[in-house]
């Protein structure tokens, strides 16, 4: 066989390698997109059962992503800062009834009063204070 | 109404008269930008002046709220208004970030290759975020997979790998400034060219690509 007879085989092999690369990168990138969604859903601290499913490079990516996001949010409004991971839904009512699903210690609300978040206690709290805690599974919105 | 009521408590109102817009106009501009960004398939020009002014507005309103007696019913209405504006602003910024992440190589390419006088697509902070996102993703792929591949396969062309926004998606719009002779379909061998006039106040469902320049000029509003 001369060299030019090998060319079709080489081309075929190269196409297969390119396809494998594409499949691998697509899989890895899809995981990254899900990991990115975790920051918006769970906040900047991931639950241990999720961290368990991530490799160290993915944890590294997540750490870098949340740093980038934090520094972007800090820079908004000429340095004033705005946490855009809050206010995910349009405000419907000012105060909501919530039930505490687990002990979470004390929560200070804007007028200075301190609420003790004890498991199974129910409270009537400002909605904006509860958003993150509801997403983290600490509080549950009670709709009567 | 509520907005001017909140501001009438503010002694600094005279100093801020240098602003070109009234607060109501500013919030209207924010809501327009928010809806356009929400419904457009591609990232639109950044409106960082609006963002900054709205944040200043929110700070003023929060300060006024502190001065109102606790338990006053006016306080809850003002609070709702502040929360409402903050929601729109956050949602606007989130829409933009989502598109920046989704189309990151294309967004960076557009921003880096634009001319001197052209309006910028990204705010400086968004630009920094986009570059960090690119670098982070690239170094992740290298560390986890690419470095173990044959030498000639160790890079990925991000511009090819990441899809571009689909400008042919259909969008709903309302016409703010009447337009004539908008080319909807060009002339081909099979058809004559299809041209429409857009009447002020009318609403349409059209391909984004056809009316993209009208969105940036403010002649139409996406809904």
């Amino acid at each position: 066989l001369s060299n030019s007879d090998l060319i079709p085989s080489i081309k075929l092999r190269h196409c297969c390698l390119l396809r494998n690369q594409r499949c691998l990168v697509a899989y890895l990138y899809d995981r990254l997109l899900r990991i990115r969604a975790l920051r918006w859903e769970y906040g900047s601290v991931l639950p241990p059962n999720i961290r368990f499913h991530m490799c160290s490079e993915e944890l590294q990516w997540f750490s870098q992503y949340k740093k980038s996001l934090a520094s972007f949010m800090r820079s908004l409004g000429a340095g004033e800062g705005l946490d855009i991971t809050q206010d995910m839904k349009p405000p419907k009512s000012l105060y909501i009834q919530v039930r505490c699903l687990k002990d979470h210690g004390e929560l200070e609300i804007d007028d200075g009063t301190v609420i003790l978040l004890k498991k199974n206690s129910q409270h009537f709290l400002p909605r904006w204070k509860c958003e993150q805690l509801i997403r983290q599974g600490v509080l549950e919105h009670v709709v009567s | 109404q509520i907005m001017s009521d909140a501001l009438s408590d503010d002694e600094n109102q005279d100093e801020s008269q240098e602003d070109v817009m009234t607060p109501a106009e500013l919030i209207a501009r924010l809501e327009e930008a928010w809806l356009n960004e929400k419904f457009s398939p591609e990232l639109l020009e950044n409106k960082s002046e609006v963002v900054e002014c709205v944040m200043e507005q929110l700070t003023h309103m929060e300060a006024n709220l502190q001065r109102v007696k606790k338990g006053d019913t006016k306080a809850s209405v003002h609070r709702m208004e502040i929360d409402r504006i903050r929601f729109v602003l956050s949602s606007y910024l989130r829409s933009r970030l989502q598109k920046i992440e989704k189309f990151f190589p294309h967004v960076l390419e557009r921003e880096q290759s634009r001319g001197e006088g052209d309006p910028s697509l990204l705010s400086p902070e968004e630009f920094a975020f986009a570059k960090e996102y690119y670098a982070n993703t690239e170094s992740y792929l290298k560390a986890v997979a690419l470095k173990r591949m044959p030498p000639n396969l160790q890079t990925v062309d991000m511009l090819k790998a990441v899809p571009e926004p689909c400008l042919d998606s259909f969008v709903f719009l309302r016409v703010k400034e009447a337009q004539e002779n908008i080319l909807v379909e060009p002339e081909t061998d099979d058809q004559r060219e299809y041209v429409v006039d857009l009447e002020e106040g009318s609403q349409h469902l059209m391909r984004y690509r056809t009316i993209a320049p009208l969105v940036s000029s403010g002649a139409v509003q996406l809904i």
Side-chain angles (χ1 to χ4, degrees):
Chain A
L1 287 173
S2 75
N3 275 342
S4 58
D5 292 336
L6 289 172
I7 288 175
S9 306
I10 294 171
K11 279 195 176 162
L12 177 64
R13 183 173 177 273
H14 189 65
C15 282
C16 294
L17 289 174
L18 276 176
R19 185 181 181 274
N20 290 348
Q21 186 206 50
R22 235 183 94 188
C23 291
L24 270 170
V25 172
Y27 164 72
L28 292 168
Y29 190 65
D30 192 77
R31 281 180 67 93
L32 277 192
L33 293 180
R34 289 161 200 255
I35 292 168
R36 177 257 182 211
L38 291 174
R39 168 62 185 88
W40 290 85
E41 222 178 278
Y42 283 95
S44 47
V45 179
L46 293 179
N49 60 319
I50 289 183
R51 291 176 63 99
F52 183 66
H53 289 303
M54 291 166 62
C55 69
S56 70
E57 290 88 353
E58 286 171 333
L59 289 167
Q60 166 77 353
W61 186 92
F62 181 79
S63 161
Q64 185 53 54
Y65 176 74
K66 69 180 191 191
K67 246 188 249 160
S68 266
L69 181 61
S71 112
F72 171 76
M73 297 196 294
R74 253 196 316 269
S75 74
L76 292 170
E80 170 82 23
L82 178 69
D83 186 351
I84 60 173
T85 67
Q86 304 299 313
D87 306 296
M88 295 296 269
K89 293 213 157 73
K92 281 257 152 67
S93 64
L94 272 182
Y95 279 73
I96 52 173
Q97 190 78 3
V98 290
R99 180 183 303 121
C100 206
L101 297 175
K102 36 181 130 148
D103 285 328
H104 195 73
E106 292 180 345
L107 178 72
E108 185 176 334
I109 53 177
D110 295 336
D111 60 14
T113 48
V114 174
I115 310 277
L116 180 62
L117 295 178
K118 204 169 149 61
K119 185 171 170 172
N120 289 329
S121 60
Q122 273 194 220
H123 308 278
F124 194 55
L125 293 177
R127 189 191 27 78
W128 67 92
K129 265 274 182 274
C130 304
E131 264 199 359
Q132 175 124 33
L133 292 171
I134 291 174
R135 286 216 302 278
Q136 287 173 345
V138 174
L139 295 177
E140 177 188 50
H141 186 185
V142 176
V143 189
S144 47
Chain B
Q1 350 141 325
I2 308 292
M3 289 281 324
S4 43
D5 201 43
L7 281 173
S8 64
D9 294 318
D10 185 3
E11 293 109 40
N12 294 326
Q13 194 186 8
D14 284 338
E15 285 163 36
S16 60
Q17 286 306 329
E18 57 191 325
D19 288 336
V20 190
M21 296 176 270
T22 68
E25 284 169 1
L26 173 65
I27 300 307
R29 285 270 294 268
L30 171 67
E31 289 182 358
E32 286 169 10
W34 170 58
L35 289 174
N36 280 341
E37 197 71 72
K38 205 171 194 275
F39 296 120
S40 155
E42 64 171 351
L43 185 69
L44 300 175
E45 261 168 54
N46 92 86
K47 302 276 180 205
S48 37
E49 349 73 56
V50 175
V51 171
E52 260 185 52
C53 289
V54 171
M55 288 202 64
E56 262 176 45
Q57 202 65 44
L58 284 173
T59 309
H60 272 155
M61 293 173 80
E62 290 273 8
N64 287 341
L65 200 59
Q66 296 306 320
R67 283 187 256 147
V68 173
K69 265 210 305 275
K70 294 275 180 270
D72 190 348
T73 43
K74 253 198 337 179
S76 8
V77 182
H78 285 202
R79 176 90 252 164
M80 266 299 248
E81 185 69 12
I82 292 173
D83 285 351
R84 199 181 68 90
I85 295 170
R86 210 177 47 237
F87 165 74
V88 173
L89 180 61
S90 299
S91 179
Y92 169 69
L93 292 166
R94 279 194 297 263
S95 280
R96 286 186 61 85
L97 270 194
Q98 273 163 29
K99 280 193 248 183
I100 290 170
E101 292 174 3
K102 192 168 179 191
F103 305 120
F104 68 97
H106 307 288
V107 160
L108 279 169
E109 161 86 12
R110 259 182 77 182
E111 185 70 1
Q112 276 158 343
S113 63
R114 72 181 167 94
E116 271 298 315
D118 294 345
S120 65
L121 189 63
L122 302 172
S123 70
E125 301 76 26
E126 285 170 343
F127 191 34
F129 178 84
K131 282 190 286 193
E132 287 164 18
Y133 189 83
Y134 188 118
N136 193 18
T137 305
E138 194 179 46
S139 72
Y140 164 78
L141 290 173
K142 280 206 168 84
V144 131
L146 296 176
K147 73 175 184 208
R148 300 195 182 102
M149 294 191 185
N152 61 334
L153 285 173
Q154 285 189 0
T155 54
V156 170
D157 183 349
M158 295 291 198
L159 283 169
K160 289 218 190 87
V162 175
E164 284 185 71
C166 176
L167 301 180
D168 292 315
S169 346
F170 277 76
V171 291
F172 284 95
L173 58 106
R174 181 175 51 242
V175 181
K176 286 162 63 182
E177 294 162 19
Q179 304 290 317
E180 293 183 357
N181 293 329
I182 300 300
L183 182 65
V184 174
E185 296 287 351
E187 185 177 330
T188 64
D189 290 338
D190 299 328
Q191 62 187 34
R192 297 221 319 266
E193 69 168 17
Y194 176 21
V195 155
V196 295
D197 291 337
L198 299 177
E199 272 177 40
E200 186 179 316
S202 62
Q203 293 178 175
H204 303 266
L205 175 63
M206 297 174 78
R207 238 186 222 118
Y208 175 77
R209 195 191 293 275
T210 313
I211 46 88
L214 302 177
V215 176
S216 41
S217 72
V220 308
Q221 168 73 51
L222 298 184
I223 52 176

